Amino acid sequence: FAANTGEATEYIIDSKEALINFAKNPTKSAKVTANIDMSGYDWTPIDGFAANFDGGNFEIKGLNAPLFALTHAIIKNVKLVDVNMTTNNRLRFGALACEVVSTGNTSISNCEVSGTITVSNPGFTPASSYSSIYDVVSVGGLVGYVKGAAFVNCENKAAITVSQVFQDGASTRINPTVGGIAGYLNSITPE
């Protein structure tokens, strides 16, 4: 990390190694300052990120899994190029994030994705906390499930393939929600 010493408030991500290191302890805001090729690396999505992430309009190429799992962040200027993502165990899935849930000031702006996203027949038993099947199985080019976050100037160029989904132990087929930008939008009522 070029500028991650002392009291720096922002991680500078300028290489594959810097992105991998950031993912190990993502507590500060981050800015990408160079094109990064993640091809061939088995990526684990960053979970619970709640700061700011600025992709700087540089390319992050070849991710094989979402950049984020669950996030509450302000994310902008991220270009995910030539993603090749396949899953059969994540029920909410998108190249940028599996889930984006607002905690007050959450937004996704100027983000785009290209490549392929495939979700293949995950079997599951819905948790009692989900209000419906449609809250559970959702796939989007950028984000699988969104609650209360704003999207501005985002674009999906990725091909999305979702096979049929069956509930565990049942022969009933479930049709998941799928969208180019977001698979499922769950709005919240302002207080």
Side-chain angles (χ1 to χ4, degrees), residues 83-146:
V83 302
N84 186 10
M85 300 182 185
T86 301
T87 188
N88 63 1
N89 63 4
R90 284 193 180 267
L91 303 175
R92 295 174 172 174
F93 198 73
L96 183 65
C98 295
E99 300 179 62
V100 174
V101 178
S102 178
T103 56
N105 190 20
T106 303
S107 64
I108 310 294
S109 60
N110 301 314
C111 294
E112 64 182 67
V113 60
S114 68
T116 60
I117 299 168
T118 304
V119 176
S120 59
N121 198 26
F124 69 98
T125 301
S128 60
S129 60
Y130 294 119
S131 62
S132 77
I133 291 295
Y134 304 105
D135 279 354
V136 181
V137 184
S138 51
V139 181
L142 281 174
V143 179
Y145 177 89
V146 180

Side-chain angles (χ1 to χ4, degrees), residues 7-20:
E7 297 298 317
T9 59
E10 183 176 74
Y11 280 103
I12 301 300
I13 299 173
D14 57 4
S15 66
K16 176 179 181 176
E17 293 73 21
L19 182 57
I20 293 167

